[in-house]
Amino acid sequence: MDLWDLDAIELLGPSLLSVGGDGIGRFRFIAVEGHIDWKAEEGPDSAVNFTWEGTDDGDPVSGRGWMRIDDDGSLRGRIYFHLGDNSGFRAVRTI
């Protein structure tokens, strides 16, 4: 992630981004856990836009973001907290 270092990102354990084919996903990093509602966009960028809601150290949070598959097969995007921070991210398949 652009905004936080690895020690922060994995504060409570390994970070996670899981996206299913049904338009639903989930993620975890630092003390943030959330559920994703995503929709694929038609067009040359093949971006997936999403909204999310969850908790940050137990407090309710929400936001939006986007992601797309990069040339190297990783998932790249940006996550936005409503009225707060935003950060680019890169996720790689581990399974």
Side-chain angles (χ1 to χ4, degrees):
M1 299 188 89
D2 297 340
L3 194 57
W4 305 284
D5 64 22
L6 185 59
D7 287 340
I9 293 167
E10 296 193 341
L11 179 68
L12 298 179
S15 57
L16 164 76
L17 173 61
S18 175
V19 181
D22 56 359
I24 297 173
R26 65 187 181 103
F27 65 89
R28 179 184 62 236
F29 65 93
I30 310 177
V32 180
E33 293 184 89
H35 296 277
I36 296 171
D37 176 10
W38 66 268
K39 303 286 185 253
E41 296 291 323
E42 302 276 335
D45 289 336
S46 301
V48 171
N49 292 303
F50 63 89
T51 58
W52 65 272
E53 63 181 12
T55 59
D56 182 358
D57 202 20
D59 295 326
V61 289
S62 63
R64 62 184 174 85
W66 62 267
M67 57 190 152
R68 75 172 133 252
I69 298 174
D70 208 355
D71 292 338
D72 65 3
S74 65
L75 195 61
R76 292 189 186 264
R78 182 161 289 274
I79 187 167
Y80 299 85
F81 284 74
H82 182 68
L83 301 175
D85 291 330
N86 72 84
S87 179
F89 65 85
R90 178 174 173 263
V92 295
R93 184 180 296 257
T94 58
I95 302 174

